[in-house]
C-alpha cells in the first residue's frame, strides 16, 4: 500500500501532500492545489501552511513545483471542501487512520530517543577508553552502527531522508531505533573488550570473532 502520511524526522509533525490527496480522491492535482491556495486562511488556523520546492527531475526541465505539507487538521479540513463522493469518503477514513498510526510512531521515536541518551554517553566513554581510538573513532563507530541498521552512513542517511536535521538518529524509524540501541549495547562491549575496528565491523555484519591459537 502506498504511504499516505509522511514523517521526515523526530522534530517534524506528520503530513500528507496534495499529490496524495489527488491520487486517492480522483481529483486533479491542480484543482487540489488551487483549493489549498483559496482556503489558505482557514487552513492556517491549524498551523503554518508548510511547503517544499521540488525541482523537476526530467531532462526536459521545467518550473520548480511547490508541494504543500498538510498536517492532520489541515488535510481533514481540506477534504471537507471536496464533494463527498464514496472515493473521497473512503480516502478520508484511510487518511485519519494513517495519521493516527504516524502519531503513535512519533511517540515511540521520542521515547526511544530518551532511552538511547544514556547508551550514547556510555558509548562515548567506551570510545575514550578504547586503546585504538583516534580523533575520528566516535564518528567511525557511529557510521558502523548506521550502516548496520540502514545500509547508509550518517551523511547518506540525512541526505536521503532529511538534510535539514542535525542528528541522524532523528530520521530513524522506531524499528530502526530499537535495532540501533541493541547494536549500540553490543558495540560498547566490543570496545571495552578492546577489539579492533575490523573485528567490531565483522561482528556487526554477522561475522564471528576469530581467535588466534
Amino acid at each position: 500500500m502506498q504511504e499516505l502520511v509522511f514523517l521526515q524526522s523526530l522534530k517534524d509533525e506528520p503530513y500528507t501532500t496534495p499529490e496524495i490527496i489527488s491520487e486517492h480522491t480522483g481529483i486533479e492535482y491542480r484543482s487540489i492545489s488551487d483549493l489549498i491556495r483559496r482556503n489558505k486562511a482557514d487552513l492556517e488556523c491549524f498551523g503554518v501552511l508548510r511547503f517544499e520546492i521540488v525541482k523537476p527531475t526530467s531532462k526536459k526541465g521545467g518550473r520548480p513545483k511547490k508541494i504543500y505539507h498538510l498536517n492532520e487538521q489541515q488535510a481533514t479540513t481540506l477534504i471537507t471542501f471536496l464533494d463527498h463522493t464514496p472515493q473521497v469518503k473512503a480516502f478520508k477514513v484511510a487518511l485519519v487512520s494513517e495519521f493516527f498510526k504516524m502519531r503513535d510512531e512519533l511517540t515511540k521515536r521520542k521515547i526511544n530517543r530518551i532511552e538511547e541518551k544514556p547508551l550514547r554517553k556510555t558509548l562515548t566513554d567506551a570510545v575514550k577508553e578504547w586503546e585504538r581510538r583516534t580523533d575520528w573513532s566516535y564518528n567511525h563507530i557511529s557510521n558502523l552502527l548506521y550502516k548496520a541498521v540502514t545500509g547508509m552512513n550518517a551523511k547518506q542517511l540525512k541526505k536521503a531522508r532529511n538534510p535539514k536535521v542535525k542528528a541522524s538518529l532523528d530520521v530513524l524509524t522506531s524499528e530502526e531505533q530499537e535495532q540501533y540501541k541493541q547494536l549500540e549495547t553490543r558495540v560498547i562491549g566490543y570496545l571495552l573488550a578492546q577489539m579492533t575496528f575490523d573485528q567490531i565491523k565483522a561482528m556487526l555484519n554477522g561475522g564471528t570473532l576469530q581467535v588466534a591459537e
Side-chain angles (χ1 to χ4, degrees), residues 110-123:
K110 289 180 178 179
I111 292 172
N112 280 335
R113 283 289 272 128
I114 293 171
E115 293 176 346
E116 191 274 334
K117 284 184 178 180
L119 270 179
R120 184 153 29 99
K121 184 179 185 309
T122 304
L123 178 66

Side-chain angles (χ1 to χ4, degrees), residues 1-17:
M1 179 180 176
Q2 183 188 10
E3 252 185 308
L4 302 181
V5 178
F6 309 95
L7 180 61
Q8 288 189 319
S9 81
L10 188 70
K11 297 181 180 179
D12 295 318
E13 62 179 330
Y15 69 92
T16 191
T17 67

Side-chain angles (χ1 to χ4, degrees), residues 126-134 137 191-195:
V127 170
K128 291 178 181 178
E129 298 297 323
W130 191 36
E131 294 174 354
R132 297 169 175 82
R133 73 182 182 278
T134 67
S137 290
L191 289 168
L192 295 177
Q194 300 301 330
M195 289 186 183

